[in-house]
Amino acid sequence: MIRPNLTIEAIPAGEPFIGPERIMRERGLQTMLRLGANESAFGPSPRAVAAMAAELPRLSWYGDPDSYALRNALAERWNTGRDDVLVTSGIDELLGLVVRCFLAPGEAVVASAGTYPTFAYHAIGYGGRVESVAYREDGRIDLDELAAAAQRCNAAICYLANPDNPSGSFADADAILRFRSALPARTLLLLDEAYAEFADPQALVEPRPLPGVVRARTFSKLYGMAGARIGYGLAPQALLAPMLKVRLQYGVNRNAQIGALAALTDDAFAHDVLDRTARGRAEYAALGAELGLPTLDSSSNFVCFDCSSRDRADALLEALLQRGVWTRKPGIAPLDRCVRVTVGDEGDRARFAAELRAICMRVTT
Ligand SMILES: *Cc1c(COP(=O)(O)O)cnc(C)c1O
């Protein structure tokens, strides 16, 4: 009888991520307001679109497996060497590569319980043990407990999203560097910075390769290119070299490389998205205050509305969906009392506010 290997066979069948397209199909919805995946409401840079459109006829060519031009541009931006940059098909691919290269079957990794799930997904897929640490009651990551857990199980990898998803919380450079030195010497810190651009640049760990740390960045969020699938790792060359041995050599879409390179030149676009996102966050905070759904501080392009109990949060998620508004919510306490809403553009936010007000009125009367 033909069977998968024991690691794969031991994983329960399940649905790691249900996409919005499936929800629309199952509910028979023709349109849906997509505020559930932290996709940018502001689209890609027009420069990226133009560059990609111009190159589309050459789709018959493979992309450059070295991503040479893009790595050069990123190295220049971060004032480091080209070999300290690895371009991947989004952060999601990079997380899998780090796990594949730095975790042996049976070893432990640590992460916050209920943080961005793709790291644990890969760790389980490669036969690791995931030790998780609860969020603090205020919704922030418990860095002391995370480091203690890494010490206890001598973790191969510690995953930390900063700014975090789903909480939106942010730890400044001092806290991150202190955290790094509290980890065991053998532990690789996988620092997922998908939302780094949305945080206060003064408070961010200086963007350069750090010893023992793989920093993950993406074009999916600020640059609005989630569908193109492109991101990169920033790390000392010695940490990236093992990944070059096993990565999918032609896994990064040619057009995505071209778009990402063009996007990097468009600082005015990036600033505009940051401004509009900050305005959206402030608007959500005011809306939450008005409706008795206080929001958690966020350094990202989404905001958590605190519904004070899991049941109320579940009910709000469902009520929004019935009105054609797709959001998501954390599944694990204490954050499971929240509904996470992506910052939409001005029109999206007006629609969201109207639906949320209507739901809250109905509940209270
Ligand atoms: C959205 C998100 C990602 C996904 O990044 P891709 O580059 O699109 O794979 C990774 N990490 C976090 C924390 C995210 O929220």
Side-chain angles (χ1 to χ4, degrees), residues 1-39:
M1 193 168 132
I2 299 173
R3 313 183 76 148
N5 69 48
L6 292 176
T7 301
I8 302 301
E9 198 162 53
I11 302 172
E15 299 277 0
F17 186 85
I18 296 178
E21 292 78 8
R22 161 103 68 96
I23 292 170
M24 290 176 69
R25 264 193 323 273
E26 290 179 352
R27 300 219 171 206
L29 298 173
Q30 297 305 311
T31 62
M32 196 168 73
L33 181 55
R34 286 170 75 122
L35 301 178
N38 305 336
E39 296 157 325

Side-chain angles (χ1 to χ4, degrees), residues 14-336:
E15 299 277 0
F17 186 85
I18 296 178
E21 292 78 8
R22 161 103 68 96
I23 292 170
M24 290 176 69
R25 264 193 323 273
E26 290 179 352
R27 300 219 171 206
L29 298 173
Q30 297 305 311
T31 62
M32 196 168 73
L33 181 55
R34 286 170 75 122
L35 301 178
N38 305 336
E39 296 157 325
S40 177
F42 309 106
S45 149
R47 277 194 206 174
V49 173
M52 292 168 92
E55 284 293 319
L56 208 49
R58 271 176 287 280
L59 206 54
S60 47
W61 294 357
Y62 289 102
D64 172 9
D66 297 325
S67 298
Y68 191 82
L70 181 57
R71 278 165 60 229
N72 271 338
L74 290 166
E76 192 174 315
R77 164 153 306 205
W78 303 127
N79 197 19
T80 187
R82 183 170 57 240
D83 292 332
D84 298 339
V85 180
L86 172 65
V87 175
T88 56
S89 162
I91 289 178
D92 286 359
E93 185 199 7
L94 179 66
L95 300 181
L97 281 172
V98 171
V99 169
R100 184 173 177 194
C101 292
F102 292 95
L103 174 75
E107 284 190 321
V109 299
V110 293
S112 287
T115 188
Y116 185 70
T118 307
F119 169 70
Y121 170 78
H122 286 304
I124 291 165
Y126 285 109
R129 266 186 308 121
V130 181
E131 299 284 334
S132 52
V133 170
Y135 279 84
R136 295 181 352 182
E137 200 44 46
D138 63 4
R140 297 180 62 82
I141 288 183
D142 195 331
L143 290 175
D144 294 338
E145 274 306 309
L146 207 54
Q151 290 284 355
R152 257 194 322 274
C153 62
N154 195 27
I157 306 169
C158 178
Y159 172 83
L160 177 65
N162 190 49
D164 177 56
N165 179 7
S167 68
S169 66
F170 173 70
D172 68 13
D174 284 351
I176 295 293
L177 295 176
R178 242 183 295 119
F179 174 68
R180 169 67 198 118
S181 38
L183 292 175
R186 70 145 311 195
T187 304
L188 183 151
L189 173 56
L190 180 46
L191 192 59
D192 183 337
E193 299 184 312
Y195 302 98
E197 297 92 343
F198 296 96
D200 172 7
Q202 303 301 316
L204 208 60
V205 183
E206 200 190 326
R208 60 185 165 79
L210 298 173
V213 182
V214 173
R215 308 178 69 167
R217 297 274 181 129
T218 185
F219 288 90
S220 293
K221 305 286 160 60
L222 173 66
Y223 292 101
M225 293 177 57
R229 310 304 305 126
I230 189 159
Y232 60 98
L234 193 62
Q237 183 183 359
L239 289 181
L240 299 180
M243 299 184 228
L244 294 176
K245 297 181 187 173
V246 296
R247 79 195 167 111
L248 195 56
Q249 298 293 329
Y250 289 94
V252 182
N253 182 304
R254 177 175 190 272
N255 225 25
Q257 293 185 38
I258 289 160
L261 190 60
L264 273 184
T265 67
D266 201 348
D267 285 338
F269 167 81
H271 282 125
D272 184 54
V273 173
L274 288 176
D275 282 351
R276 293 171 78 186
T277 305
R279 248 178 282 140
R281 282 194 311 249
E283 221 177 279
Y284 279 178
L287 180 68
E290 171 197 324
L291 296 173
L293 301 169
T295 50
L296 307 190
D297 283 346
S298 169
S299 300
S300 67
N301 70 347
F302 59 85
V303 169
C304 275
F305 288 79
D306 189 338
C307 304
S308 75
S309 80
R310 178 183 185 124
D311 286 351
R312 282 190 71 202
D314 287 344
L316 177 58
L317 190 85
E318 176 59 28
L320 284 165
L321 194 52
Q322 282 184 8
R323 291 167 173 269
V325 181
W326 179 59
T327 60
R328 297 190 84 210
K329 69 178 290 295
I332 298 176
L335 284 171
D336 61 349

Side-chain angles (χ1 to χ4, degrees), residues 339-355:
V339 171
R340 189 197 71 187
V341 186
T342 306
V343 171
D345 68 12
E346 292 68 13
D348 298 339
R349 297 194 315 258
R351 161 100 192 275
F352 172 72
E355 302 293 6

